[in-house]
Amino acid sequence: DTICRSVARKLNLTLYETTQTPNELIHTGGNYMTDGMGTGFSSELILDENPSLSETQVDDIMNSFMGIDRYIKMPTLPYDGIHHIDMHMKLLNEETLLVGEYPAGVADGPQIEANLQYVLSTFNSSFGTPYKVIRIPQPPDQYYNFNYPDNYGNYLTYTNSVIVNKTVIVPQFYTQYDTTAIRIWKEAMPGYTITGVNSNN
């Protein structure tokens, strides 16, 4: 919460913060993605973290500070303890969603699918086109007998990634699933370097 102040001072930039009433807003970066064209996505954690604000007030603050005029919110997932959207979904460009996928009926699979169908049936991209969807596996946890989060496995994901210039940094866990994930990322992001980072620790 304080690094932005140091950067603003160093670069002599005006700093805008949602830290004081009436614009006080608690929000975590992993629970926010935007297409850069006025559409934002979050889980309903944004509402849970700000119980003193109505949804309209949250939307108004996001509009004032982030330019978001269409704020899409989805129910939180049962097994994702932090409820950050980036644990199962990543906006690759203005009209493409990378969505984590579990085997049928496993862990958060049903809620992810329900959330995705809500988005697809209710919203188009900022260009007015239907969203494109690319699926990527949510791997089981090799250290817990290849179990998923609904059976005590850790929550592993390939969507919780970072795009920096022409490089995508993607979590890696073990070869069986990593190779599939890297292939999907390369096909989805031609021209980008896809770099895996061991994330088991």
Side-chain angles (χ1 to χ4, degrees):
D1 291 345
T2 61
I3 190 68
C4 54
R5 297 170 193 160
S6 299
V7 171
R9 282 193 300 272
K10 179 73 173 174
L11 300 178
N12 196 29
L13 296 173
T14 303
L15 176 64
Y16 299 91
E17 294 182 291
T18 57
T19 56
Q20 295 180 14
T21 304
N23 295 311
E24 184 174 7
L25 185 73
I26 297 169
H27 204 347
T28 48
N31 191 36
Y32 175 66
M33 61 184 185
T34 179
D35 65 358
M37 297 179 67
T39 296
F41 296 80
S42 289
S43 79
E44 292 174 353
L45 175 67
I46 181 65
L47 304 177
D48 297 338
E49 288 181 322
N50 295 279
S52 64
L53 299 176
S54 68
E55 184 171 2
T56 299
Q57 289 172 308
V58 168
D59 290 350
D60 288 346
I61 293 170
M62 291 297 289
N63 178 263
S64 296
F65 283 78
M66 304 298 286
I68 296 301
D69 48 41
R70 185 174 69 156
Y71 198 8
I72 300 169
K73 305 175 200 72
M74 293 165 275
T76 58
L77 306 182
Y79 297 98
D80 170 15
I82 60 174
H83 302 310
H84 292 181
I85 196 171
D86 66 4
M87 294 296 284
H88 68 281
M89 186 178 288
K90 181 82 168 181
L91 196 60
L92 300 185
N93 57 43
E94 297 88 343
E95 53 188 351
T96 306
L97 295 166
L98 181 70
V99 179
E101 183 175 49
Y102 287 100
V106 171
D108 284 334
Q111 189 62 59
I112 290 171
E113 190 62 29
N115 290 354
L116 178 61
Q117 292 311 312
Y118 162 69
V119 171
L120 297 178
S121 65
T122 310
F123 305 98
N124 282 325
S125 77
S126 293
F127 296 127
T129 56
Y131 282 105
K132 300 169 191 170
V133 176
I134 298 171
R135 309 281 185 151
I136 193 165
Q138 300 275 86
D141 188 345
Q142 65 176 335
Y143 295 110
Y144 287 90
N145 298 315
F146 291 92
N147 286 326
Y148 289 97
D150 57 341
N151 199 19
Y152 306 106
N154 285 307
Y155 211 101
L156 309 182
T157 172
Y158 296 111
T159 58
N160 192 2
S161 55
V162 179
I163 302 171
V164 183
N165 298 326
K166 285 290 187 175
T167 298
V168 185
I169 303 168
V170 180
Q172 302 285 269
F173 306 102
Y174 54 99
T175 304
Q176 178 185 348
Y177 279 79
D178 294 346
T179 52
T180 299
I182 293 293
R183 176 184 54 77
I184 291 169
W185 268 103
K186 286 181 176 179
E187 291 171 357
M189 303 285 279
Y192 285 75
T193 299
I194 311 300
T195 300
V197 174
N198 187 307
S199 300
N200 284 317
N201 292 327

